Amino acid sequence: MPELIEPTVDLRDSWLESSREWGTASQDGAGVWEASDLTTVAGFAEWVERLRQQSDESVELPPDRVHATYWWIVEDGNYLGAISLRHALNAKLLEGGGHIGYGIRPSARRRGLASWALGQVLGRARTRGIDRVLITCDDDNVASAKTIERNGGELEDIRETWLGTTRRYWIKL
């Protein structure tokens, strides 16, 4: 049975194995862009701590950033993917990034993990007092569009954003 957990250094080997599967593709929802060096134990630990600090609203962030909570999707001690919830939207996220980002490692896809994780995080967004969430995906990402739609996403539009051609969905909570 999968579960959502806080990022942890304990899953470094499994995370690195997953990263090799992704290759150069973007690992949406994982916050990889926050990392400076994932090849060392210390660098990995620093990244995990940085992800955890993102959710602490007492920590001041740069003006172009918003607080976010990251979870890893794990099963039997294996890292399967990640999902994040941004606590608010700035102008850039309203255009193209949305409240929630997620990604499932290639070998774990087609098992319903993204739909399950999204459903879990929608409940957590509701608990935070968010009454509707914006979720976006690439226009050609059929699997992600279906995941969002299965969770109640209503397509607002398809537009050119800083991410490319982007489908923008809203889910009322």
Side-chain angles (χ1 to χ4, degrees):
M1 184 84 183
E3 59 183 324
L4 295 181
I5 67 166
E6 278 191 343
T8 174
V9 295
D10 296 340
L11 291 176
R12 180 175 179 264
D13 291 342
S14 183
W15 191 93
L16 290 171
E17 182 182 291
S18 169
S19 184
R20 287 188 289 277
E21 286 180 23
W22 281 91
T24 60
S26 172
Q27 296 184 46
D28 295 329
V32 175
W33 56 274
E34 288 280 356
S36 56
D37 179 15
L38 295 173
T39 63
T40 66
V41 172
F44 192 86
E46 180 183 302
W47 172 62
V48 165
E49 184 56 30
R50 190 173 297 130
L51 292 179
R52 288 180 177 183
Q53 287 178 357
Q54 293 291 316
S55 67
D56 184 349
E57 294 186 2
S58 70
V59 173
E60 190 171 332
L61 298 177
D64 63 332
R65 302 291 308 281
V66 300
H67 287 93
T69 302
Y70 291 86
W71 295 276
W72 286 358
I73 305 162
V74 299
E75 187 174 50
D76 299 325
N78 292 309
Y79 173 89
L80 303 176
I83 189 164
S84 61
L85 171 66
R86 296 173 193 97
H87 302 179
L89 298 178
N90 58 23
K92 184 176 182 178
L93 293 172
L94 181 61
E95 177 194 359
H99 284 95
I100 298 174
Y102 55 85
I104 304 297
R105 72 189 283 176
S107 65
R109 293 180 183 161
R110 303 177 88 57
R111 295 179 39 201
L113 291 167
S115 290
W116 171 82
L118 179 53
Q120 295 293 307
V121 171
L122 289 172
R124 294 172 189 206
R126 187 179 300 111
T127 300
R128 290 194 66 78
I130 301 172
D131 60 355
R132 67 184 196 136
V133 297
L134 174 65
I135 307 175
T136 69
C137 67
D138 292 344
D139 185 39
D140 62 356
N141 189 339
V142 175
S144 191
K146 287 182 179 180
T147 293
I148 298 166
E149 290 167 0
R150 268 189 227 104
N151 278 279
E154 295 182 17
L155 181 66
E156 178 180 62
D157 60 18
I158 301 170
R159 65 172 77 164
E160 288 302 317
T161 72
W162 53 277
L163 296 167
T165 306
T166 304
R167 300 177 71 84
R168 298 174 69 254
Y169 291 90
W170 288 95
I171 298 177
K172 293 178 185 174
L173 303 177

